[in-house]
Amino acid sequence: MSSGEAAAVLFRGERLSLTFGTGVEQVQALKDLSIELRRGEFTSIVGPSGCGKSTLLRIIAGLIQPLSGRLVPMDETKRRTGLVSLMFQSPVLLPWRTTLGNVVLAADLAGQSREPARIEARARSLLRTVGLSEFINRYPFELSAGMQQRVALARALVLGPELMLLDEPFSALDALTREEMNFELQRLWLQTAATVLFVTHDIGEAIMLSDRVLVMSARPGRIVSEISVPLDRPRAVDSRYDPRFVACHKEVYSALHATSFIGDVPSQRTLSSLLAGD
Amino acid sequence: MKYSFRRNALQFIPPLASFGALILIWELLVRWLAVSPVILPAPTRVFQEFVKRSDEILFHSAITMFEAFAGLVTGVAFAMVCSFLILEFTTFRRAIYPLIMAKQVVPTIVFAPILLVWFGYGMSSKVVISATICFFPIVVNALHGLNSLQPEVIELAQSLGSSRWKILWRLRVPHSLPSIFAALKPTVGLAMIGAVVGEFIGGNYGLGYMIIESLRFINLAGMFAATVALMILGMLFFGMVELLGILLLGWYRKALRISEVV
């Protein structure tokens, strides 16, 4: 389930570069970024806002083309069969469809309406798994934000994806719901063989969920550090206090802050020495 | 059950009372001030005229209703096709937008005499005039609705390999229905205007014709009777659109009601 030396590579991007805009307003979103996603592995990308995390995710999803670089992408046929699934910060549910309708939507959009009964059965069982069996015929506006995101999670899983691309899926939720959703995601993922790429800016969330955390820097966006998380699965609330978790947290934190101007280490030292009365 | 029925029945009292009061005041004023029926006929007189010419009114109403309805349907159909093309083809948008604007800055009524010459004095010219008036508000609102779909929804569809056609039909069109229906209600009135204006200008049928015909004899009772018929038609027409909206947009109404409560 988790990564191994022999794990096969599912997706590989080499020296990907992308710029937005022209002239003085030109922004280098990604520069010479290389990334590899191994089959069955849970990888997170952590980085400051605007570092191009979401852009990278969209490139992998095939929604944007990089200007240069080499992709061994998920091809069109894989997309059509729903082998790549996306999840966003907002649940992106259609207000005119019920909970069940929104889960089945993935099959409709992927053009898999040949076996509606099988897909519906799977949707129902997934909704039961995420605790929404009583809300199957409700409309999105009747659900709480956490419930809506559960529907989105069920939709992302309904076609049995090979690759799940999750773009800060829980960052709009409150802290408690978010933690609950983290364990929910882990539980569901452990039942599948899916490869996951999880974008977040919450270090704790990234470590709790991932086999591997990639740290990205901003302008230009590139991967500056890669940290493996050696914690056993399934992880639980207690894992947070595991010394290995704390060590990983420190490592990701320093890698992240070495790349951004917010965590300016010298000035922090100046501040603490001032406070200490030096 | 009984209680809610009573409450529903009570809801009709204020509008009926205000309507009744208006007619009563009108009637009393005409009698007390002895207003000449040539200037302002009393409601009773209008009612007499309505009953006396009811066959004629029914015939003209049917004509006007058909023209307005056909005009609305045609106008909406053209507007929808046009907004799909504008949405999907940038070149088409660049080519057609100035034309639509040029048409829109001139009151459509200005084109009515020309359309009458082209399409004759029968019903078809009225249908065309009506459709022309209905076109613009529907295009504007349909485009707004079609374009305002959350970009993530489109990304989701694209990531699953949906075609543009599928994105249009399964996502954009249902999403735009509330905007289109919001525009459809005032457009019902525009459709009636188109039909009646066409009848004013030329023709031998319809409530607009009946008004012009009554004008020739300075028969204000006839004009009022035709106006009452137009009101009833308009209400029926409006009610039909409302009903269609309820059938198609149950989810939207439900969502609105919930958000009102919360």
Side-chain angles (χ1 to χ4, degrees):
Chain A
M1 206 124 287
S2 60
S3 69
E5 290 300 314
V9 172
L10 180 75
F11 172 90
R12 183 185 286 127
E14 280 163 11
R15 301 176 64 81
L16 305 174
S17 294
L18 183 64
T19 47
F20 288 126
T22 49
V24 269
E25 288 181 6
Q26 196 167 46
V27 176
Q28 180 110 41
L30 301 176
K31 195 180 180 207
D32 290 337
L33 184 147
S34 296
I35 186 169
E36 213 176 71
L37 299 177
R38 294 170 210 137
R39 216 167 268 282
E41 194 182 40
F42 198 118
T43 309
S44 285
I45 297 184
V46 191
S49 319
C51 73
K53 304 183 289 263
S54 299
T55 307
L56 176 61
L57 187 125
R58 280 164 176 75
I59 287 176
I60 297 173
L63 297 172
I64 321 176
Q65 290 297 312
L67 285 183
S68 67
R70 215 173 71 84
L71 285 171
V72 185
M74 306 298 296
D75 51 35
E76 194 68 18
T77 47
K78 282 192 175 175
R79 278 205 267 144
R80 282 201 190 288
T81 49
L83 287 177
V84 179
S85 73
L86 271 179
M87 203 173 153
F88 306 93
Q89 187 174 336
S90 61
V92 192
L93 303 178
L94 301 181
W96 61 90
R97 283 192 176 224
T98 59
T99 298
L100 184 65
N102 266 292
V103 176
V104 175
L105 175 72
D108 289 356
L109 291 177
Q112 290 204 342
S113 35
R114 254 179 289 168
E115 286 180 86
R118 194 183 60 84
I119 302 254
E120 198 185 304
R122 186 164 158 75
R124 280 178 190 278
S125 98
L126 273 166
L127 285 168
R128 201 175 314 124
T129 319
V130 296
L132 289 177
S133 39
E134 285 168 36
F135 298 90
I136 275 180
N137 293 318
R138 296 293 182 86
Y139 286 88
F141 59 83
E142 297 174 289
L143 307 177
S144 70
M147 287 165 141
Q148 291 188 9
Q149 207 55 294
R150 280 167 204 270
V151 178
L153 184 58
R155 183 182 58 202
L157 286 161
V158 75
L159 295 176
E162 195 166 43
L163 176 62
M164 293 178 76
L165 301 169
L166 314 179
D167 191 2
E168 301 189 31
F170 309 133
S171 62
L173 303 176
D174 63 275
L176 282 175
T177 312
R178 169 190 268 206
E179 190 165 44
E180 210 177 290
M181 291 300 291
N182 281 343
F183 293 121
E184 191 90 42
L185 174 62
Q186 175 184 248
R187 193 164 59 81
L188 287 166
W189 170 70
L190 286 172
Q191 291 167 10
T192 67
T195 307
V196 179
L197 183 66
F198 188 90
V199 167
T200 179
H201 44 236
D202 184 312
I203 303 172
E205 187 179 59
I207 293 168
M208 184 61 88
L209 288 168
S210 313
D211 298 313
R212 200 158 57 107
V213 179
L214 305 175
V215 179
M216 252 181 105
S217 75
R219 275 175 234 102
R222 62 213 151 80
I223 289 164
V224 289
S225 190
E226 179 180 329
I227 294 118
S228 292
V229 183
L231 297 167
D232 304 327
R233 303 242 183 218
R235 295 166 191 170
V237 185
D238 283 348
S239 308
R240 227 170 252 289
Y241 311 107
D242 190 303
R244 289 172 295 176
F245 185 101
V246 179
C248 280
H249 198 289
K250 248 180 201 166
E251 203 178 332
V252 175
Y253 186 87
S254 52
L256 186 59
H257 282 215
T259 66
S260 67
F261 27 88
I262 319 156
D264 198 342
V265 183
S267 73
Q268 265 181 358
R269 195 178 298 147
T270 322
L271 187 65
S272 54
S273 58
L274 275 171
L275 288 169
D278 271 11
Chain B
M1 194 68 189
K2 204 176 174 185
Y3 177 69
S4 81
F5 172 76
R6 258 183 75 179
R7 222 171 57 166
N8 280 338
L10 285 176
Q11 282 180 349
F12 287 106
I13 290 179
L16 284 177
S18 64
F19 198 68
L22 180 76
I23 290 181
L24 193 68
I25 292 168
W26 178 358
E27 181 78 37
L28 292 176
L29 278 180
V30 168
R31 285 188 185 209
W32 285 341
L33 304 174
V35 182
S36 156
V38 177
I39 305 295
L40 182 66
T44 41
R45 232 193 123 96
V46 174
F47 184 71
Q48 278 167 10
E49 182 84 8
F50 198 93
V51 173
K52 198 177 79 191
R53 296 173 70 180
S54 58
D55 286 352
E56 201 185 333
I57 289 174
L58 201 66
F59 169 72
H60 288 310
S61 297
I63 301 276
T64 304
M65 188 65 170
F66 175 80
E67 289 164 353
F69 184 74
L72 183 76
V73 171
T74 317
V76 169
F78 267 97
M80 289 310 293
V81 171
C82 195
S83 45
F84 293 157
L85 293 173
I86 287 174
L87 184 84
E88 296 292 339
F89 304 105
T90 320
T91 319
F92 183 79
R93 185 182 66 224
R94 295 219 179 98
I96 206 79
Y97 232 80
L99 279 178
I100 293 178
M101 286 315 295
K103 192 231 93 184
Q104 191 54 24
V105 290
V106 180
T108 310
I109 292 167
V110 171
F111 298 112
I114 303 169
L115 293 172
L116 210 71
V117 172
W118 287 350
F119 292 95
Y121 279 68
M123 287 197 279
S124 49
S125 58
K126 282 77 175 179
V127 172
V128 173
I129 293 167
S130 184
T132 315
I133 301 185
C134 294
F135 177 78
F136 189 72
I138 299 293
V139 166
V140 171
N141 283 276
L143 273 175
H144 171 75
L146 292 167
N147 265 323
S148 63
L149 189 64
Q150 208 185 345
E152 282 94 337
V153 178
I154 295 162
E155 286 185 330
L156 180 79
Q158 285 171 341
S159 78
L160 291 164
S162 295
S163 60
R164 288 171 78 169
W165 182 245
K166 195 169 213 168
I167 292 173
L168 180 67
W169 277 112
R170 301 305 292 270
L171 303 172
R172 286 191 196 270
V173 169
H175 175 80
S176 69
L177 282 181
S179 312
I180 293 171
F181 267 90
L184 209 52
K185 287 180 199 168
T187 308
V188 166
L190 293 179
M192 301 282 290
I193 291 177
V196 171
V197 163
E199 290 164 358
F200 276 176
I201 299 171
N204 297 312
Y205 314 106
L207 290 168
Y209 164 77
M210 191 181 154
I211 290 173
I212 293 294
E213 191 63 14
S214 303
L215 179 67
R216 288 218 315 222
F217 302 105
I218 319 183
N219 173 10
L220 263 83
M223 290 159 83
F224 271 110
T227 310
V228 169
L230 272 173
M231 260 180 212
I232 296 169
L233 278 194
M235 300 271 217
L236 278 176
F237 204 174
F238 197 82
M240 275 162 55
V241 171
E242 195 89 335
L243 195 69
L244 188 66
I246 290 171
L247 291 176
L248 281 175
L249 297 175
W251 61 272
Y252 186 67
R253 284 165 176 273
K254 228 168 139 192
L256 281 183
R257 207 162 302 147
I258 292 272
S259 62
E260 262 171 39
V261 174
V262 170

